[in-house]
Amino acid sequence: MASPALDKSVPEILPPSLDATAEQPPLFDGITKLYTCYTCPFAQRVWIARNFKGLQDEIKLVPLILQNRPAWYAEKVYPPNKVPSLEHKGKITGESLDLIKYLESNFQGPSLLHEDPAKKEFTGELLSYSDTFNRTVFTAFKGDIAKDAGPAFDHLENALHKFDDGPFFLGQEFSLVDIAYITFVERFYIFLSEVFKYDITAGRPKLAAWIEEVNKIEAYKQTKTDPKEMIETYKNKFMA
């Protein structure tokens, strides 16, 4: 596949996560910073885009421990007190889908947004659907997984047929759409299999192939969280 070959990601030593006792890094000192959390799927989206575009030297990671986050983050950096947020050119910007588009528009590196009109329109449709997709599946944790979440996974399976000259949502090209979905889909894949014995790829060959191909991309592999830790987190958050 062409896309992994374009992957400019390089291995890096990750900085330690900051808790409530940590000092605040200098603000607006000319260094672009991505405030993130290593286990957050929203923040992971921007981390993947950063890696894929080869921006490890340009965008410094500032990881936070969300369960014990520093007070200075909300007070002085990003009042919504969520991750991700990006410090760039004297301002702080948030929201993961906005930020992956921002990286595409404001930084060099392999393109994650394609100019073909049909693919551009489809990108917009799928990015708009992503919140609905996530909400549908999370809600199904309390109901009938196959009945309540199945149609959402069917929607992705059908979407992967749109440009079927390759394994990704836009065919051969790894894109913002893949980034928007993989951080949640892989968690659902693992969690639903482990806890509900529900395989989201059963009867969905395109979805299975997509997950396999994305997992070959270094920019993504470097951001993956520990599955056992994720399962326990989801059990405590959604099953208690």
Side-chain angles (χ1 to χ4, degrees):
M1 289 299 162
S3 292
L6 285 174
D7 189 348
K8 301 301 181 185
S9 182
V10 294
E12 62 181 321
I13 298 174
L14 299 178
S17 297
L18 306 181
D19 65 10
T21 66
E23 291 187 16
Q24 180 186 354
L27 190 65
F28 303 135
D29 59 352
I31 297 174
T32 301
K33 304 179 189 72
L34 174 60
Y35 295 89
T36 187
C37 170
Y38 292 141
T39 58
C40 172
F42 292 100
Q44 187 184 6
R45 288 168 164 171
V46 191
W47 187 10
I48 296 166
R50 163 195 179 263
N51 289 358
F52 190 82
K53 294 180 77 67
L55 301 172
Q56 289 89 336
D57 292 335
E58 292 184 54
I59 301 177
K60 177 183 177 182
L61 295 178
V62 182
L64 307 177
I65 297 175
L66 296 186
Q67 296 84 350
N68 189 27
R69 71 195 78 185
W72 49 256
Y73 182 62
E75 293 169 0
K76 299 178 181 179
V77 179
Y78 191 53
N81 203 24
K82 301 185 297 182
V83 294
S85 69
L86 185 74
E87 176 186 332
H88 183 233
K89 293 186 175 179
K91 67 177 183 178
I92 304 290
T93 308
E95 298 300 329
S96 63
L97 294 181
D98 292 337
L99 284 177
I100 59 177
K101 296 174 190 174
Y102 184 89
L103 293 193
E104 179 65 19
S105 299
N106 290 274
F107 292 88
Q108 299 295 314
S111 178
L112 286 163
L113 186 63
H114 302 279
E115 293 305 315
D116 176 87
K119 291 184 176 181
K120 206 166 186 178
E121 180 180 2
F122 197 52
T123 294
E125 292 173 5
L126 286 175
L127 292 182
S128 295
Y129 175 68
S130 63
D131 284 344
T132 299
F133 169 78
N134 293 335
R135 187 166 55 249
T136 299
V137 179
F138 279 126
T139 301
F141 288 1
K142 298 288 189 180
D144 182 324
I145 292 293
K147 178 182 175 183
D148 299 335
F153 293 113
D154 289 341
H155 188 97
L156 299 193
E157 176 71 14
N158 292 334
L160 285 161
H161 282 270
K162 175 85 170 179
F163 300 102
D164 60 1
D165 59 330
F168 304 111
F169 280 104
L170 301 185
Q172 295 184 15
E173 304 101 341
F174 182 71
S175 73
L176 297 180
V177 180
D178 303 293
I179 290 174
Y181 281 94
I182 190 59
T183 64
F184 288 93
V185 170
E186 182 128 48
R187 283 170 170 80
F188 294 149
Y189 183 31
I190 295 168
F191 182 73
L192 294 178
S193 176
E194 176 70 22
V195 176
F196 294 94
K197 309 306 177 189
Y198 179 75
D199 181 0
I200 68 170
T201 65
R204 301 183 183 103
K206 284 281 191 180
L207 187 62
W210 174 73
I211 293 171
E212 182 179 347
E213 287 298 323
V214 175
N215 270 281
K216 295 176 183 177
I217 295 177
E218 287 299 324
Y220 171 61
K221 289 197 289 186
Q222 294 174 25
T223 70
K224 293 180 67 170
T225 192
D226 180 87
K228 291 182 180 178
E229 180 181 334
M230 183 275 295
I231 289 168
E232 289 308 308
T233 298
Y234 271 32
K235 280 182 178 178
N236 293 333
K237 186 172 183 179
F238 298 108
M239 308 300 291

